């Protein structure tokens, strides 16, 4: 059977392309004396790699970081494969074969990964060294292994654990990273994520790897005036209804109308990343009017109080109140979670 064209989604994620490009340019400028690349893992933090990568490439970005091998195709559709680094590294022969066939570069995280890469013939690669986060990467003690001298290393990378805080761990990791740079021959060096960029030039090395700041997240207060909002989720009103005093709304009747009121039901729920923490707490926006969420957020639907927008009709669009720093403070979710949650049923539109 051939299907007719799909109807438009009642959810859209509007990407402000000018703000996205401006955020990368700002991070690139702040990364002096190095340059900025871009973390585009998790489908560019949920915004859509297909939307994000061409904008950042046009802005001047040349270095791309994904986590999974399966994230590669969406990125190399737009940029040269040799500019793409896969952070998880090659876990088995299938990963190595994929790297060889596409030309993307593995980030080698362990001596077994180094051995696997060399056994396959090697070629340009990156190496991650763990300087204290104890996540992925070679231990400092591994760096003397003679296999490392046989690698053709472009980037020597490490990752900061607490760059969003003022803590002694940052300087400790920087010292370890400098020691690692003295032990391993690499063409370029990279340490800082978004928050690390704000720690100053000592942390910048040749290349920084901002993610959240490109997409509108404010990782440290110093970046508040710099980073512009990029992601604007919007949802359609599916139904409006009139409630009498005493009527209750949603699962478990957690909201009871105190007076006659108009209710809007929008096509947004926890399956779309709008989690139940927004029940009786979040809001949608209609121009300057803030329309509070009433009752429980359910899988596909959220109810809102239309008192301040009595003219709203079925099919009208509302913006989700989702300014990242503010929404994180309100919800207890991190800015990273708020963004990456919104990846499923939204149609991505640019502007
Ligand atoms: C996700 C990630 C980044 C980007 O971090 P942000 O805090 O989003 O800027 C950089 N480097 C590595 C290794 C990562 O996993």
């Amino acid at each position: 059977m051939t299907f007719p064209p799909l109807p438009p989604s009642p959810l859209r994620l509007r990407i402000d392309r000018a703000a996205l490009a401006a955020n990368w340019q700002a991070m690139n400028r702040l990364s002096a004396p190095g340059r900025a690349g871009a973390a585009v893992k998790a489908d560019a933090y949920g915004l859509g790699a297909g939307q994000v990568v061409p904008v950042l490439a046009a802005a001047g970005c040349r270095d791309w970081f994904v986590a999974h091998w399966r994230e590669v195709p969406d990125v190399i559709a737009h940029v040269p494969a040799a500019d793409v680094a896969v952070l998880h590294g090659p876990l088995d022969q299938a990963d190595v074969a994929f790297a060889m066939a596409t030309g993307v570069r593995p980030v080698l995280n362990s001596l077994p990964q180094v051995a696997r890469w060399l056994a396959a013939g090697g070629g340009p690669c990156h190496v991650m060294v763990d300087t204290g986060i104890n996540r992925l990467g070679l231990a400092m003690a591994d760096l003397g292994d003679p296999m490392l001298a046989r690698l053709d290393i472009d980037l020597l990378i490490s990752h900061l654990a607490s760059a969003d805080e003022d803590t002694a761990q940052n300087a400790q990791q920087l010292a370890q990273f400098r020691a690692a740079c003295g032990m391993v021959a690499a063409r370029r060096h990279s340490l800082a994520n978004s928050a690390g960029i704000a720690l100053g030039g000592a942390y910048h090395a040749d290349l920084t790897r901002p993610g959240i700041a490109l997409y509108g997240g404010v990782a440290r207060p110093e970046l508040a005036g710099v980073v512009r909002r990029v992601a604007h989720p919007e949802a359609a009103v599916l139904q409006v209804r009139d409630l009498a005093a005493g009527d209750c709304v949603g699962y478990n009747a957690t909201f009871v109308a105190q007076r006659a009121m108009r209710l809007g039901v929008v096509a947004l729920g926890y399956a779309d990343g709008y989690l139940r923490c927004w029940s009786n707490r979040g809001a949608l926006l209609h121009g300057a009017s803030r329309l509070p969420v009433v009752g429980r957020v359910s899988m596909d639907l959220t109810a809102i109080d239309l008192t301040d927008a009595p003219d709203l009709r079925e099919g009208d669009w509302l913006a989700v109140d989702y300014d990242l720093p503010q929404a994180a403070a309100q919800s207890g979710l991190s800015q990273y979670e708020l963004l990456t949650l919104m990846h499923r049923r939204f149609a991505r539109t640019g502007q």
Side-chain angles (χ1 to χ4, degrees):
M1 169 182 177
T2 55
F3 286 95
L6 283 175
S9 173
L11 284 172
R12 56 194 187 207
L13 190 57
R14 191 164 53 78
I15 310 290
D16 184 337
R17 294 195 183 112
L20 177 63
N23 286 346
W24 184 82
Q25 276 152 353
M27 290 307 119
N28 190 49
R29 206 173 342 100
L30 290 173
S31 295
R35 314 178 26 93
V40 293
K41 60 196 183 186
D43 204 20
Y45 288 40
L47 273 58
Q51 291 278 333
V52 163
V53 172
V55 173
L56 297 184
C61 183
R62 292 204 299 264
D63 295 272
W64 312 90
F65 297 87
V66 297
H68 288 226
W69 294 95
R70 294 175 70 104
E71 293 174 339
V72 163
D74 287 342
V75 178
I76 64 175
H78 305 283
V79 299
D83 297 346
V84 178
V86 181
L87 290 162
H88 281 7
L91 195 59
D92 56 28
Q93 211 41 51
D95 293 344
V96 171
F98 187 81
M100 297 274 171
T102 55
V104 298
R105 299 198 175 164
V107 176
L108 305 177
N109 291 300
S110 66
L111 291 178
Q113 290 194 355
V114 171
R116 202 169 287 129
W117 186 246
L118 286 172
C125 63
H126 309 303
V127 166
M128 171 79 80
V129 56
D130 185 84
T131 53
I133 192 171
N134 281 306
R135 223 172 53 165
L136 293 178
L138 291 158
M140 294 295 289
D142 292 334
L143 298 185
D145 192 288
M147 280 193 300
L148 288 184
R150 295 167 50 207
L151 290 172
D152 176 7
I153 305 174
D154 178 4
L155 283 167
L156 182 66
I157 300 174
S158 193
H159 192 52
L160 297 168
S162 310
D164 56 336
E165 293 179 284
D166 294 315
T167 152
Q169 193 182 14
N170 294 324
Q172 287 160 4
Q173 285 197 265
L174 177 59
Q176 293 276 46
F177 184 61
R178 286 185 167 150
C181 293
M183 298 168 72
V184 177
R187 282 192 285 287
R188 300 182 295 162
H189 304 97
S190 175
L191 177 62
N193 58 355
S194 299
I197 292 171
L199 292 179
Y203 289 81
H204 296 167
D206 299 300
L207 183 71
T208 62
R209 307 183 307 272
I212 194 76
L214 305 178
Y215 311 120
V218 178
R220 281 186 65 97
E222 296 91 329
L223 299 176
V226 178
V227 169
R228 285 166 57 183
R229 183 166 170 193
V230 173
H232 298 265
E234 298 169 344
V237 177
L238 296 180
Q239 194 169 356
V240 295
R241 54 196 318 130
D242 292 303
L243 301 186
D247 286 348
C248 47
V249 177
Y251 283 122
N252 309 109
T254 63
F255 178 84
V256 180
Q258 300 302 304
R259 51 179 169 75
M261 61 180 280
R262 255 166 104 67
L263 191 80
V265 180
V266 297
L268 174 70
Y270 59 75
D272 307 303
Y274 196 68
L275 300 190
R276 291 202 341 164
C277 60
W278 296 113
S279 302
N280 289 307
R281 181 187 289 189
L284 279 81
L285 305 173
H286 178 58
S289 307
R290 190 172 182 279
L291 312 174
V293 169
V294 294
R296 284 252 158 92
V297 171
S298 53
M299 189 182 295
D300 318 298
L301 298 168
T302 294
I304 52 171
D305 179 348
L306 292 188
T307 304
D308 288 340
D311 53 336
L312 271 185
R313 298 280 177 273
E314 287 177 15
D316 285 348
W317 285 86
L318 297 172
V320 184
D321 189 12
Y322 217 69
D323 172 69
L324 289 176
Q326 208 180 307
Q330 261 182 299
S331 65
L333 299 169
S334 73
Q335 298 177 66
Y336 298 82
E337 291 170 294
L338 287 166
L339 267 186
T340 54
L341 279 165
M342 292 247 158
H343 66 294
R344 281 198 209 142
R345 293 192 287 199
F346 285 83
R348 270 57 166 241
T349 64
Q351 146 206 308

